[in-house]
Each structure stands twice: as structure tokens, then as C-alpha cells.
Amino acid sequence: MQMRFDGRLGFPGGFVDTQDSSLEDGLNRELREELGEAAAAFRVERTDYRSSHVGSGPRVVAHFYAKRLTLEQLLAVEAGATRAKDHGLEVLGLVRVPLYTLRDGVGGLPTFLENSFIGSAREQLLEAALHGPMETEMRTLVLGREGRTWECFLIGPER
């Protein structure tokens, strides 16, 4: 995830331009602009599509994709993100999501979910954690926070 210019958390992305021949071409262009040239080492494809959400503005639909990266790809993206075209403008920095819950039942993912997210990014994060391109044996349901409307999932070995 990334910290946006407005202080909210979200995923990289943006609007499809007229020169983009598909949603995926637009997304891959936006990934290079926001994450840097290391994002050119992989390509988000139609098979990575997860869901769509109607935005609050007119004619805005957010399409959500989830792509599994190798550790080397992730580290390269993190290392080069500060040199990306939009760093310091649209993007203030990358954020790793704590996909665990501390023994106190509060720290980790439940506390992370208390942050301010843009649009449906919180729900998309949970969707990716549950249904994303991750190993099935790495999914574990965890206890949700009392009084909250979302369900929390995290990645960890099943018992």
C-alpha cells in the first residue's frame, strides 16, 4: 500500500488515459509512475483482476487487481520507489501492511485498519488478504475488533 498525498492509505493506480489500450495498460503505466521502473519487471494482467467498486465521483469506477510478487521484485520496488515520477507528489511513500495480530489482540492488522483509507481501499486490502494471490495454506481467520463492521483476516500458518 502507499501513503497518498492527502494522508490516506491506498493502492497505486489512477485514470486510464486515451493512449492506454486497456485497463491493464493504464494500470501498468500508473504503477511505473507511482512505484518506479522496478514495476516494469512484472505486468498486471486481466487474470489479476479481483473486483470493481463504483467511486464517489461521476463516471468513476475503481477496478481492483492483486498481483503476487517475488520477494526480489518487492524489494526492488521498495528500493526504487523514492525515484518514481510521482514520489513526493501523489505518493508520499510505501507502507507494508502488518498481516498479523499481536498477542494483545489489538496490535498489527486490527490497529492498521484504524487508519484512514481512500475509497474502498480497506475493503480491497481485506479482499486481497482473503482471496488474493497467496498460498491457501497461509490464510488464517483472526478475531475481529469488537464493534467493527469489517472482518479481519491475516496471513499465517494454519494450525
Side-chain angles (χ1 to χ4, degrees), residues 1-2 30 32 37 58 75 95 101 105 114 116 123 156-158:
M1 295 197 84
Q2 60 190 21
E30 286 284 346
R32 287 188 303 279
E37 286 307 312
L75 294 174
V95 177
T101 301
E114 296 290 333
S116 179
E123 292 76 20
E158 289 190 32

Side-chain angles (χ1 to χ4, degrees), residues 65-116:
Y65 292 73
K67 179 78 175 178
R68 182 181 184 149
L69 302 182
T70 65
L71 179 58
E72 292 77 20
Q73 289 170 323
L74 175 63
L75 294 174
V77 167
E78 288 179 332
T82 58
R83 295 184 302 278
K85 174 185 167 195
D86 290 341
H87 183 78
L89 302 171
E90 292 181 27
V91 180
L92 300 181
L94 299 182
V95 177
R96 282 197 183 192
V97 178
L99 296 175
Y100 52 81
T101 301
L102 296 178
R103 290 184 184 182
D104 64 6
V106 177
L109 182 60
T111 297
F112 185 84
L113 293 172
E114 296 290 333
N115 284 299
S116 179

Side-chain angles (χ1 to χ4, degrees), residues 99-101 134-142 153-159:
L99 296 175
Y100 52 81
T101 301
M134 300 171 210
E135 298 297 328
T136 305
E137 63 271 10
M138 296 300 288
R139 293 193 186 109
T140 305
L141 175 65
V142 296
F153 296 88
L154 84 127
I155 309 308
E158 289 190 32
R159 301 190 193 275

Side-chain angles (χ1 to χ4, degrees), residues 2-157:
Q2 60 190 21
M3 178 62 68
R4 296 166 28 95
F5 68 93
D6 59 6
R8 294 184 281 183
L9 294 168
F11 291 101
F15 291 101
V16 176
D17 293 340
T18 55
Q19 76 265 18
D20 299 321
S21 61
S22 68
L23 286 173
E24 292 78 19
D25 285 345
L27 176 56
N28 285 293
R29 177 187 46 76
E30 286 284 346
L31 290 174
R32 287 188 303 279
E33 291 174 4
E34 296 183 17
L35 301 177
E37 286 307 312
F42 57 88
R43 180 167 169 75
V44 175
E45 301 288 348
R46 184 165 288 162
T47 56
D48 300 314
Y49 171 81
R50 295 291 172 255
S51 63
S52 296
H53 304 271
V54 175
S56 57
R59 299 174 36 169
V60 175
V61 178
H63 303 283
F64 184 61
Y65 292 73
K67 179 78 175 178
R68 182 181 184 149
L69 302 182
T70 65
L71 179 58
E72 292 77 20
Q73 289 170 323
L74 175 63
L75 294 174
V77 167
E78 288 179 332
T82 58
R83 295 184 302 278
K85 174 185 167 195
D86 290 341
H87 183 78
L89 302 171
E90 292 181 27
V91 180
L92 300 181
L94 299 182
V95 177
R96 282 197 183 192
V97 178
L99 296 175
Y100 52 81
T101 301
L102 296 178
R103 290 184 184 182
D104 64 6
V106 177
L109 182 60
T111 297
F112 185 84
L113 293 172
E114 296 290 333
N115 284 299
S116 179
F117 292 80
I118 184 72
S120 56
R122 177 186 290 113
E123 292 76 20
Q124 291 168 333
L125 169 62
L126 293 172
E127 177 183 343
L130 178 60
H131 302 292
M134 300 171 210
E135 298 297 328
T136 305
E137 63 271 10
M138 296 300 288
R139 293 193 186 109
T140 305
L141 175 65
V142 296
L143 192 59
R145 296 284 303 270
E146 51 186 85
R148 299 293 178 210
T149 58
W150 63 77
E151 295 178 4
C152 296
F153 296 88
L154 84 127
I155 309 308

